[in-house]
Amino acid sequence: MTEKKNIKIIIIGGGLVGSLCASFMGKRGHDVAVYEKRSDIRTAKLSPGRSINLALSHRGRRALRSVGLENEILKTSIPMKGRLLHDLTGKTTSIPYDPVTNEVKFKFYGDSPTKLCIYSVGRNFLNQTLLRAAEKYPNVKLYFNQKLVSSNFNQGTVTLLNTNTCETYEEVAELIIGADGAFSSLRRLMQQTPLFDFSQKYIQHGYVELSIPPERGHLITPNHLHIWPRGEFMMIALPNQDNSWTLTLFMPFDKFENLKTEEGIRKFFWETFPDSIELIEENELVRVFTRLNNPSTLVSVKCKPYHVGSKYLIIGDAAHAMVPFYGQGMNAGFEDCFLLDDLLGKLDEDIQKTVNQFSESRVESAQAICDLAMYNYEEMKSLVTKLTYRIRRALDNALFKQFPDKWVPLYNSVSFSHMDYLQCLENRKWQDSVINKLLLLLITMLVWIAGFVSLKLWRAI
């Protein structure tokens, strides 16, 4: 029997994806060193990071389950069973994620029966939990305040800077994984190599985070993702464990310019989100926006390939940062960890084959979810209010009920299955073509019937 090879692995980035990847690699028995440029968020007084909470769905859950963390995370997460839309009058409309069944019972989803919902989970809590889990493996070491400054792709080395001592040092490994976010330092170095394609796109919409305090949390319907769709822009709310809610206003930058004065702020919210004022409190709105310098930006990143040479690989946002409107950024990153681990097992820990196959198989899939995330913004801010959207959704649900293993709505396939993202997109295109053909057939039949009836009436006359 061949003895299992022990591999030295460096992971750049100790955020959500990097720390989960460390657990996967630690579980495989490899020697893992994680280098994170920030201080340890478990001991920092003010933990950096943009969003307070994130949406966890099936892809992320499967990855967490694989390292024994799913139940621990779900215990402190809040299930959201659907969207709750708020119109201008304050009237709400519930759109459940699964109006057909109460539980998933179809082989398509690849999980045991479970309720169709997504979970609101705190970013900092999740990151801390993942760091603790990784550190439990004796073969995993975490190093903070360590910044990647350069790399020698021929020799398989990285040069790091200790930001506390300002000293640089070199490390070598058989596999070097970049999980250091949308503005990845490792990807920036990879961009300097031949045949590496890279593009990034900032959408012309920014965001500002607001909050509903715990004492007002009971005023909003629980266990939903709340959406205030307003055509050009929208506001969403996700629940927190302490009964507070995080609200995020997504809007074109030029419209934020109207929120520079107290009068403009009050007028805007009374005209566009009147039912939110009781939740947030008018003076708090004024305080947040009068102190705001600039809204935060949103970027989508695509690159190809995800590897350089035989031992450098990027995953998560470093490889495919996306706008947050499908709630798949974290889930896609966690799925990267699961797929990478699965390939290592199938290929008998062969690093070169694993790196190449992961890159080859994942690029188009990840680019598909980047595109779908852009599309879902249009859906959330405007399409959900249109009659055509509701008709299509009703038709999707009716066909899903009749053919659960054949006809799966796009949102279900993305959020509640492990179907390849590219296949989700192709599946949607196939569904569109089927519906278009059915509509054409229906119109043809109606025209034929109308013509037949007209002929009968003409002959009768």
Side-chain angles (χ1 to χ4, degrees):
M1 184 175 179
T2 306
E3 185 177 350
K4 188 174 180 179
K5 184 182 179 182
N6 185 272
I7 299 168
K8 183 176 180 182
I9 298 173
I10 287 175
I11 298 175
I12 305 297
L16 299 175
V17 175
S19 52
L20 179 60
C21 187
S23 284
F24 271 103
M25 299 301 104
K27 186 180 178 183
R28 300 198 73 82
H30 301 311
D31 293 327
V32 182
V34 179
Y35 296 96
E36 167 57 48
K37 67 179 180 180
R38 301 172 301 174
S39 58
D40 190 342
I41 64 169
R42 295 170 296 177
T43 57
K45 291 182 179 180
L46 293 175
S47 299
R50 296 177 301 170
S51 300
I52 293 176
N53 44 19
L54 300 160
L56 176 67
S57 55
H58 275 47
R59 297 172 196 271
R61 289 177 59 186
R62 179 176 65 168
L64 292 171
R65 189 183 315 132
S66 297
V67 291
L69 292 174
E70 181 187 26
N71 290 336
E72 181 180 355
I73 299 302
L74 291 186
K75 283 178 183 177
T76 55
S77 303
I78 302 172
M80 297 181 290
K81 59 187 179 183
R83 298 170 174 173
L84 196 71
L85 308 183
H86 296 245
D87 69 13
L88 277 170
T89 68
K91 180 183 176 182
T92 59
T93 304
S94 177
I95 303 180
Y97 291 127
D98 180 23
V100 178
T101 62
N102 291 323
E103 291 186 339
V104 179
K105 297 180 180 177
F106 312 119
K107 62 181 180 180
F108 168 80
Y109 290 99
D111 286 320
S112 57
T114 180
K115 291 187 180 299
L116 266 189
C117 62
I118 58 178
Y119 289 82
S120 177
V121 56
R123 176 188 289 271
N124 285 335
F125 161 76
L126 180 56
N127 203 168
Q128 291 173 22
T129 301
L130 292 174
L131 287 170
R132 287 195 299 267
E135 209 167 38
K136 287 180 180 179
Y137 294 95
N139 48 318
V140 174
K141 305 298 180 186
L142 307 178
Y143 302 95
F144 298 95
N145 301 301
Q146 311 297 314
K147 182 181 179 181
L148 175 68
V149 292
S150 65
S151 179
N152 188 317
F153 293 111
N154 294 320
Q155 297 180 9
T157 63
V158 290
T159 301
L160 297 138
L161 168 70
N162 184 319
T163 56
N164 288 330
T165 64
C166 294
E167 296 176 337
T168 60
Y169 58 99
E170 190 175 83
E171 293 288 347
V172 63
E174 295 163 84
L175 174 61
I176 298 170
I177 301 172
D180 49 342
F183 302 100
S184 166
S185 295
L186 184 59
R187 188 192 65 231
R188 176 176 49 80
L189 296 170
M190 291 168 68
Q191 288 171 224
Q192 300 170 26
T193 63
L195 303 179
F196 188 93
D197 293 331
F198 167 79
S199 67
Q200 70 177 29
K201 180 180 180 180
Y202 283 95
I203 67 171
Q204 296 305 305
H205 293 238
Y207 72 92
V208 171
E209 288 190 348
L210 304 161
S211 65
I212 301 173
E215 60 270 19
R216 293 174 182 261
H218 67 282
L219 298 175
I220 189 169
T221 304
N223 300 112
H224 284 80
L225 168 61
H226 289 253
I227 306 176
W228 287 259
R230 296 296 183 263
E232 283 190 90
F233 53 91
M234 70 172 183
M235 187 164 66
I236 66 171
L238 279 81
N240 296 310
Q241 193 66 29
D242 64 355
N243 203 40
S244 68
W245 291 71
T246 300
L247 285 83
T248 310
L249 172 61
F250 298 97
M251 196 163 64
F253 289 110
D254 58 357
K255 289 194 174 293
F256 277 110
E257 292 300 316
N258 298 325
L259 304 181
K260 298 293 187 181
T261 65
E262 180 175 335
E263 181 184 359
I265 296 163
R266 294 181 191 274
K267 183 175 184 292
F268 174 78
F269 273 87
W270 276 114
E271 289 180 349
T272 54
F273 306 115
D275 63 329
S276 73
I277 293 176
E278 180 185 19
L279 304 172
I280 307 170
E281 209 280 313
E282 198 168 355
N283 290 331
E284 176 64 12
L285 284 171
V286 172
R287 186 192 69 81
V288 169
F289 282 97
T290 52
R291 295 184 181 183
L292 179 68
N293 290 323
N294 291 298
S296 298
T297 57
L298 295 165
V299 66
S300 180
V301 170
K302 292 181 180 179
C303 63
K304 180 181 181 180
Y306 290 162
H307 74 290
V308 167
S310 61
K311 58 179 64 176
Y312 289 84
L313 181 71
I314 50 175
I315 62 175
D317 282 355
H320 45 71
M322 64 195 73
V323 293
F325 306 115
Y326 231 120
Q328 286 297 300
M330 173 186 68
N331 290 285
F334 283 3
E335 188 174 59
D336 285 348
C337 299
F338 177 89
L339 295 174
L340 179 61
D341 175 74
D342 186 56
L343 272 176
L344 277 170
K346 289 177 178 177
L347 298 175
D348 196 28
E349 315 296 322
D350 187 313
I351 296 299
Q352 183 171 355
K353 288 183 179 179
T354 297
V355 164
N356 278 273
Q357 285 197 27
F358 178 89
S359 183
E360 182 179 346
S361 63
R362 192 59 169 165
V363 167
E364 289 189 357
S365 177
Q367 290 185 356
I369 188 57
C370 286
D371 292 338
L372 283 169
M374 287 286 195
Y375 161 78
N376 209 46
Y377 184 38
E378 294 300 318
E379 178 176 302
M380 293 175 73
K381 70 185 177 66
S382 60
L383 296 182
V384 290
T385 64
K386 297 185 181 297
L387 179 61
T388 51
Y389 171 84
R390 295 176 184 178
I391 292 173
R392 174 58 189 267
R393 180 175 172 80
L395 182 57
D396 273 338
N397 288 333
L399 290 169
F400 178 42
K401 186 174 183 179
Q402 292 299 318
F403 311 104
D405 293 326
K406 300 292 184 182
W407 191 281
V408 183
L410 177 62
Y411 189 88
N412 293 46
S413 65
V414 171
S415 297
F416 303 123
S417 86
H418 311 308
M419 182 189 289
D420 184 275
Y421 287 125
L422 184 60
Q423 187 182 346
C424 294
L425 192 57
E426 294 299 324
N427 188 53
R428 175 68 171 200
K429 291 177 181 177
W430 169 77
Q431 290 174 349
D432 288 343
S433 69
V434 170
I435 288 177
N436 289 337
K437 288 175 183 177
L438 288 174
L439 288 174
L440 181 61
L441 178 61
L442 178 61
I443 292 170
T444 302
M445 289 176 63
L446 289 174
V447 170
W448 185 87
I449 292 171
F452 179 78
V453 171
S454 297
L455 182 62
K456 284 286 189 181
L457 291 173
W458 181 80
R459 286 178 176 176
I461 294 170

